[in-house]
Amino acid sequence: MDDKITYEDIEEYGHLFTLAPAFILETMARTNANLVSKFESSIKNHMDNLTPAQRDKLHIILDSDIDYLQEKMAEAFNKTRKKQYRVLANPAYRDFIEKNLNEIKKML
């Protein structure tokens, strides 16, 4: 198993990144909102149903450098033109990503 997230990984779970409309995601990112706390029960339920391979991939994401993750989001945006990826690739929203990944770590 690779120890880095790839575009293919993002593509596989793309539906999760695009659940919220881009303008809502951007508003949440701009205000540095804690999305994990807002959806904690849903996230816990989803995490309980992960396969071992999916759980390993989650740990890789959680241990990844934020800049690297944002590079992968930029790559996903360039390939798909989905605005949610553009939001997540924006360096101005680095703290938003870090905050929410740290909240997920606390849940594990």
Side-chain angles (χ1 to χ4, degrees), residues 13-106:
Y13 297 102
H15 63 284
L16 298 174
F17 295 107
T18 58
L19 284 173
F23 74 94
I24 292 174
L25 181 61
E26 186 148 23
T27 299
M28 302 304 270
R30 192 177 309 120
T31 61
N32 199 19
N34 182 342
L35 290 180
V36 173
S37 69
K38 293 180 185 346
F39 299 101
E40 186 172 354
S41 62
S42 296
I43 293 169
K44 281 184 179 179
N45 186 40
H46 183 71
M47 286 176 27
D48 289 343
N49 294 315
L50 293 177
T51 66
Q54 291 169 325
R55 191 167 290 281
D56 289 344
K57 193 58 77 171
L58 175 61
H59 285 285
I60 291 169
I61 292 167
L62 295 175
D63 294 335
S64 292
D65 179 70
I66 304 298
D67 295 331
Y68 178 78
L69 293 174
Q70 287 191 298
E71 286 175 21
K72 294 292 122 187
M73 291 295 153
E75 180 182 348
F77 173 69
N78 288 332
K79 290 182 178 184
T80 67
R81 307 313 285 176
K82 292 181 180 175
K83 293 177 184 176
Q84 291 90 335
Y85 294 134
R86 179 187 48 78
V87 171
L88 294 171
N90 186 336
Y93 303 141
R94 184 183 198 289
D95 290 343
F96 168 75
I97 294 170
E98 186 172 32
K99 175 188 219 170
N100 283 281
L101 289 177
N102 284 335
E103 289 298 316
I104 292 172
K105 285 179 188 178
K106 290 177 188 176

